[in-house]
Amino acid sequence: MTDLPDRIDRRTALRATGGLVGITSLSAFSGCLGGSDDDDTGGDDGSSGSGDDAPPDDGADVAYDVETVAEGFANPWGLAFLPDDGRLLATERPGRLSLVEPGDGTVEEVAGAPEVFAEGQGGLLDVAVHPDYPDDPRVYLTYAAANGAGEAATHVGTGRLSLDGDGAPALDEFEPVRVAEPFRDSANHFGSRAAFGPEGSLFVTVGDRRDTDFGPDHVSQDRSNELGATLRLTPDGDAHPDNPFVDDPDAADAIYSYGHRNPQAMAVRPETGAIWQCEHGEEDGDEVNVVERGGNYGWPVASEACRYGTDDPVAPGHDERDDAVAPVHYWPCGSGGFPPSGAVFYDGDAFPEWRGDLLAGTLAAQYLGRFTVDGAGAADATATERDPLLDGRGWRVRALAVEPSTGHLYVAVDAGDAPVVRIVPA
């Protein structure tokens, strides 16, 4: 991607203002807070919550160490802990699902994972565990898979996790339960995060499959298809009966929100039960959104991004359209952006100063973002980005999970031979 002449790198800006006081080398494996597409670059934000009027940060001086849990993963993409078990499920984009023992780093492959379309940004993507596990042992995977013509689509599938017996762990009777159609001859923008809402429905993000027809007929603005949308499903994969467009014959009944480009981070905020997402812009224009029922999030008819390699806006800003839900935080064109992947709201005991904060990974910018959050819905919520975690290590941060028993934060690094690490108190 071509750098704009006025581009300001976020980490450079933070150092210039004394924002980073504890950057350490990779070999030290310790650090201190305070001290898009996958190939987008990352930088300073110019949106809400920035500047001298930012609210105070009670979690700015938290010291932490970084420990390696296990190594040798091929582009890990999703992480999910098994409730009442303590072990961790990890997906790898080429198609492997693994069960990780955090205590000793043992990694076992889980049999029964689906065949995937592992090209471009496709492959085996996210993983989620049924909220009633182990009483309901279903595990859900999102993945790219191809049809007979070689076209691909985002899939949601589920199987029953079997950990009994002397054999390897397995997903029994795995089957696809939702295909986000139409299939496209593209290897990009599959989404694809999955998370259970507080009422037990399954939310899944689907990207726009890199549709570059930036007009009102773009797939993300066309509710008759499931691209560029957040889907809300029952645990069986059916459209939720309370979805906003179930009575509209011209709309896909699984759609919960639309007008998205490529959301690769999603988390449920415990205080409100609201669904939050981080999504890629084009040239910058990355967004943090509170996702509300029936909302149109604007892409590509409202955006803060520019066309790749230019300073030409893709579209008017969100504040110029009454029919588009504005992001609660964004990185405008020229800022360097925040190409996101993976997010959690921190609710653990290990770092009480971070409770309620949104943690989100960024890829090309190579750090873990932390945001303090105020307000509730899309209209009044704010997110203030704080000094980066894991900065200076050269890690593309792909996925996050909080260990229930300890509150330690687990991080999947995106590389062909990558570790899963955990952040623990120093």
Side-chain angles (χ1 to χ4, degrees):
M1 184 178 70
T2 303
D3 286 338
L4 299 178
D6 59 347
R7 173 150 298 161
I8 302 172
D9 182 86
R10 173 171 179 75
R11 288 160 290 177
T12 301
L14 286 168
R15 288 190 181 96
T17 59
L20 291 179
V21 299
I23 295 300
T24 59
S25 67
L26 176 62
S27 60
F29 269 81
S30 64
C32 180
L33 180 63
S36 96
D37 287 320
D38 287 3
D39 294 326
D40 289 348
T41 59
D44 181 46
D45 63 284
S47 179
S48 59
S50 303
D52 295 337
D53 60 347
D57 179 13
D58 295 334
D61 298 315
V62 176
Y64 63 89
D65 290 330
V66 181
E67 301 174 346
T68 298
V69 177
E71 297 180 288
F73 296 93
N75 297 107
W77 215 95
L79 299 174
F81 276 96
L82 294 176
D84 300 324
D85 181 280
R87 285 177 287 184
L88 178 72
L89 290 169
T91 62
E92 297 169 71
R93 200 165 54 78
R96 186 171 76 154
L97 175 66
S98 294
L99 185 64
V100 182
E101 171 55 65
D104 61 13
T106 301
V107 179
E108 293 183 275
E109 183 171 359
V110 179
E115 182 178 349
V116 301
F117 175 82
E119 297 184 20
Q121 297 170 0
L124 182 57
L125 303 174
D126 209 7
V127 55
V129 180
H130 193 284
D132 292 334
Y133 184 93
D135 293 334
D136 189 327
R138 282 181 289 180
V139 168
Y140 294 78
L141 300 175
T142 68
Y143 56 101
N147 61 15
E151 301 166 323
T154 302
H155 288 56
V156 183
T158 186
R160 298 180 180 276
L161 184 63
S162 173
L163 303 176
D164 300 329
D166 298 329
L171 274 185
D172 293 335
E173 302 175 355
F174 184 87
E175 62 177 351
V177 294
R178 195 79 191 183
V179 180
E181 296 194 49
F183 285 77
R184 282 292 180 94
D185 184 16
S186 166
N188 294 322
H189 294 196
F190 292 96
S192 148
R193 290 295 171 187
F196 279 94
E199 81 296 345
S201 59
L202 179 63
F203 291 85
V204 176
T205 69
V206 182
D208 70 354
R209 302 307 315 287
R210 194 67 182 102
D211 185 343
T212 56
D213 180 13
F214 295 160
D217 296 329
H218 188 274
V219 294
S220 295
Q221 291 296 313
D222 179 1
R223 296 199 301 262
S224 69
N225 73 88
E226 297 179 344
L227 306 185
T230 305
L231 309 183
R232 183 190 186 200
L233 309 173
T234 70
D236 294 328
D238 298 321
H240 194 283
D242 190 40
N243 279 348
F245 306 114
V246 292
D247 295 325
D248 184 346
D250 297 322
D253 55 6
I255 292 177
Y256 185 77
S257 65
Y258 65 104
H260 299 287
R261 184 174 180 268
N262 194 25
Q264 288 193 350
M266 180 164 58
V268 179
R269 187 180 178 194
E271 292 89 341
T272 64
I275 305 298
W276 285 56
Q277 291 178 3
C278 307
E279 73 174 83
H280 292 254
E282 181 84 355
E283 175 93 15
D284 308 331
D286 307 302
E287 300 174 3
V288 179
N289 287 304
V290 180
V291 177
E292 298 184 335
R293 182 180 183 274
N296 176 5
Y297 287 78
W299 179 254
V301 297
S303 175
E304 315 307 323
C306 287
R307 295 177 182 269
Y308 278 126
T310 78
D311 57 0
D312 298 328
V314 171
H318 287 81
D319 60 356
E320 299 181 50
R321 290 190 66 112
D322 295 336
D323 58 345
V325 182
V328 300
H329 195 84
Y330 65 87
W331 290 260
C333 182
S335 66
F338 184 91
S341 186
V344 295
F345 277 95
Y346 185 78
D347 60 354
D349 294 330
F351 300 102
E353 300 90 343
W354 295 349
R355 285 197 194 111
D357 290 354
L358 175 66
L359 301 170
T362 181
L363 296 166
Q366 299 180 350
Y367 67 89
L368 172 59
R370 184 176 68 88
F371 302 79
T372 54
V373 174
D374 292 304
D380 61 357
T382 61
T384 304
E385 185 173 13
R386 303 304 185 173
D387 294 346
L389 293 160
L390 302 180
D391 193 57
R393 298 172 183 271
W395 286 350
R396 291 163 52 89
V397 178
R398 175 61 79 179
L400 307 173
V402 177
E403 187 174 22
S405 62
T406 64
H408 296 159
L409 179 64
Y410 282 63
V411 179
V413 177
D414 181 31
D417 183 3
V420 171
V421 303
R422 62 180 161 236
I423 297 176
V424 302

